[in-house]
Amino acid sequence: MHLRLGHSGASKQRGKMREEKQPLLDSDLSEYESPHPSSAAVNMENVASSMYKIDPVLNREIDSPTSNLDTMIHLLKGNIGTGILAMPDAFRNAGLAVGFFGTMLMGAICTHCMHMLVNCAHELCRRTQKSVLGFPEVAELAFQMGPESIQKYSKAAKTTINIFLCITQLGFCCVYFVFVAANLHDVIKHYFLEINVIWYMLMLLFPMIILNWVKKLKYLTPASLFASILTCSGLIITFFYMLQGLPNTSSVNAFSSWSQLPLYFGVAIYAFEGIGVILPLENNMKSPQDFGGWNGVLNTGMIIVTSLYTAVGFFGYLKYGDLAKLGSVTLLLPPNDILAQSVRLMMAIAIFLSYGLQFYVPFHIIWPFVKRHVTSETGEVIGEYLTRSLLVVLTFALAAAVPNLGAVISLVGAFSSSALALIFPPIIDIITFWPNNLGKYHWKFWKDVAIIVFGFAGFLLGSYVSILNILKPEE
């Protein structure tokens, strides 16, 4: 007699699995043994197959899930920020040919690391029957379920990721404050009157606080969409100026010099700034299965991002040559042209609206520590709004207090972004799939090690360059 599972029995088993939250492969299947050895293997296979269909990633319960388009918009805004405007200067330090191929290579590596992080999160979700995991939780669980010798470092791994995420994302928020204020200052100064930049920061403070009272990514979509439209419009106008009267490619260096390559790597690594928002975006998707894949949301978005970075850097350096050392490409546009000035205004508004997306990650790291000390429901609501407000005030204070903030934030960005984007994901990948799922001859292990070495080189080079910029800003 063959053993058969009815619908109610399967439902009870699913409920039991969810309640116990056991890894899929560790669930006890002894109750399904058949007295007939010939059919036991078939039945066990059917049970295992049905259990694998209970995928927590595909059965998430989210209050306000984001669509694929919502996620794409947030992904673009999470990666296209102030870094893209400095790409002509990055190409100046690398040379036209090295910058072109180097930026595409770096974009490909960063995208691959994002895929690794998402795949590890999905694997650990299935093992623990959790529906969503953040970057720090992925690191913690990878260590907890990894080799016995490193399990004791799981809490330290989570804390390390949290620290790097907070430094990176709050650092970007500080840069955004300065960028918006500086651009508004220059536009208004040209047409009306000069007011100190600090007053522009102060005027931005209250709107920034209100913007960051929005709790769900779903409700930030209109702001991100408008910011994306402004960014695209600003970039189109910038290309309009850059593509006029382009000189021959022989007029600029194909390769700059070895001594200037660290400057290129520092800016380029800082530019790909979206690793911190990848898992929050994927966790909030209505159809998370559409995030990965060769034509998924992640690849599509990052191809657009990498293409834009490469194009702005290539044509910006070819057009303006050594003048690109001024930094932002908007500073190279004709100052007396209204259309050129409108670009600065568009980018200022776009970066302002992007603040909320960068703010999303550090808030959700810090809030649980604050929430523990709140005892009432009303206090929790007030405490959340107060915490959001104080964090915005903190970024404002840092932006206003540090004179050479751009160089300092470049140091913070290079220091933490390199680690988050290029070092931690391959480490987590190795630990998660160790030792039997790293490919034939452990080729995935050696690939991950190569990325770690590359990331550590970028970590050192970016930090070195930023320190030089702080010590010798005139150069």
Side-chain angles (χ1 to χ4, degrees):
M1 180 178 65
H2 293 281
L3 176 66
R4 299 182 65 183
L5 288 177
H7 176 73
S8 60
S11 299
K12 289 178 181 178
Q13 179 63 12
R14 291 191 193 100
K16 181 179 178 182
M17 286 176 60
R18 285 197 181 97
E19 181 178 335
E20 294 177 357
K21 294 185 178 179
Q22 294 295 324
L24 292 174
L25 294 176
D26 295 337
S27 297
D28 185 9
L29 301 178
S30 59
E31 64 180 281
Y32 300 107
E33 289 182 1
S34 169
H36 298 281
S38 61
S39 61
V42 176
N43 287 318
M44 290 285 285
E45 183 178 346
N46 290 337
V47 171
S49 176
S50 67
M51 290 170 67
Y52 268 108
K53 292 179 183 178
I54 308 170
D55 191 336
V57 175
L58 301 180
N59 290 277
R60 294 170 175 166
E61 295 182 3
I62 306 171
D63 292 338
S64 302
T66 54
S67 67
N68 291 357
L69 179 60
D70 293 337
T71 306
M72 175 71 75
I73 292 168
H74 287 312
L75 179 65
L76 293 175
K77 282 314 303 160
N79 281 276
I80 299 176
T82 54
I84 192 171
L85 302 176
M87 287 308 294
D89 186 34
F91 271 62
R92 180 184 68 88
N93 290 306
L96 200 64
V98 175
F100 180 81
F101 292 106
T103 303
M104 289 196 296
L105 175 64
M106 195 166 298
I109 294 174
C110 288
T111 303
H112 178 63
C113 287
M114 292 174 183
H115 276 289
M116 282 196 291
L117 185 61
V118 172
N119 291 337
C120 289
H122 287 182
E123 173 67 19
L124 294 168
C125 279
R126 294 184 183 105
R127 291 182 191 176
T128 60
Q129 284 295 284
K130 295 182 177 180
S131 59
V132 296
L133 291 171
F135 199 161
E137 289 74 32
V138 169
E140 181 182 29
L141 283 174
F143 274 75
Q144 277 182 1
M145 307 179 78
E148 187 176 350
S149 59
I150 65 170
Q151 290 176 4
K152 59 185 176 181
Y153 300 112
S154 60
K155 293 293 183 184
K158 180 179 181 179
T159 301
T160 302
I161 297 291
N162 275 329
I163 290 172
F164 274 91
L165 279 172
C166 282
I167 291 173
T168 302
Q169 300 302 129
L170 290 177
F172 290 148
C173 289
C174 292
V175 172
Y176 284 14
F177 242 117
V178 173
F179 180 87
V180 175
N183 277 273
L184 290 177
H185 165 266
D186 287 356
V187 172
I188 294 175
K189 174 186 175 183
H190 184 80
Y191 290 105
F192 302 103
L193 72 163
E194 180 174 4
I195 305 174
N196 194 289
V197 175
I198 191 66
W199 291 107
Y200 288 96
M201 292 187 191
L202 197 58
M203 286 186 282
L204 288 169
L205 179 59
F206 185 69
M208 287 283 199
I209 291 174
I210 297 299
L211 178 67
N212 287 282
W213 279 356
V214 178
K215 298 180 180 181
K216 296 184 182 295
L217 278 177
K218 176 76 175 178
Y219 304 136
L220 284 175
T221 300
S224 288
L225 177 59
F226 186 52
S228 298
I229 293 172
L230 289 177
T231 301
C232 289
S233 301
L235 290 175
I236 289 171
I237 297 172
T238 300
F239 275 113
F240 169 76
Y241 285 103
M242 288 193 304
L243 296 178
Q244 292 186 44
L246 282 175
N248 193 284
T249 54
S250 61
S251 64
V252 294
N253 296 321
F255 171 70
S256 181
S257 68
W258 289 105
S259 63
Q260 287 181 279
L261 270 183
L263 292 165
Y264 164 75
F265 280 108
V267 175
I269 290 173
Y270 171 80
F272 289 99
E273 58 190 57
I275 187 71
V277 300
I278 291 301
L279 285 182
L281 290 178
E282 194 272 345
N283 289 340
N284 279 274
M285 285 187 71
K286 182 179 181 180
S287 304
Q289 66 272 20
D290 295 337
F291 192 72
W294 69 271
N295 61 342
V297 173
L298 179 56
N299 277 357
T300 304
M302 289 307 297
I303 286 173
I304 295 172
V305 169
T306 304
S307 299
L308 282 174
Y309 275 121
T310 304
V312 171
F314 184 91
F315 292 111
Y317 175 49
L318 182 60
K319 170 72 174 180
Y320 299 107
D322 286 339
L323 290 176
K325 65 183 178 182
L326 293 176
S328 173
V329 68
T330 57
L331 299 176
L332 306 173
L333 304 181
N336 295 320
D337 195 326
I338 295 178
L339 189 61
Q341 289 288 3
S342 71
V343 173
R344 307 183 76 174
L345 196 58
M346 288 179 187
M347 296 305 293
I349 297 173
I351 295 300
F352 167 79
L353 294 175
S354 303
Y355 184 103
L357 184 58
Q358 300 294 348
F359 183 84
Y360 185 87
V361 174
F363 170 77
H364 283 274
I365 292 173
I366 295 170
W367 171 237
F369 295 97
V370 179
K371 188 177 179 180
R372 294 173 190 169
H373 303 284
V374 181
T375 56
S376 66
E377 187 174 336
T378 303
E380 185 175 322
V381 173
I382 296 174
E384 181 173 351
Y385 283 112
L386 188 60
T387 302
R388 288 176 178 273
S389 302
L390 290 176
L391 284 175
V392 177
V393 171
L394 173 64
T395 60
F396 159 76
L398 291 172
V402 182
N404 194 15
L405 184 67
V408 174
I409 295 302
S410 293
L411 172 62
V412 174
F415 178 81
S416 52
S417 295
S418 299
L420 289 173
L422 300 174
I423 298 176
F424 292 134
I427 290 176
I428 292 172
D429 188 60
I430 291 172
I431 296 172
T432 299
F433 296 103
W434 181 270
N436 299 320
N437 295 305
L438 291 172
K440 191 175 182 180
Y441 304 119
H442 280 195
W443 71 267
K444 292 182 181 178
F445 170 81
W446 297 112
K447 176 262 299 178
D448 288 347
V449 169
I451 294 174
I452 292 169
V453 172
F454 175 74
F456 191 69
F459 171 88
L460 292 177
L461 291 169
S463 300
Y464 165 75
V465 167
S466 299
I467 291 172
L468 282 184
N469 287 340
I470 292 173
L471 298 177
K472 300 178 179 180
E474 73 280 356
E475 298 181 6

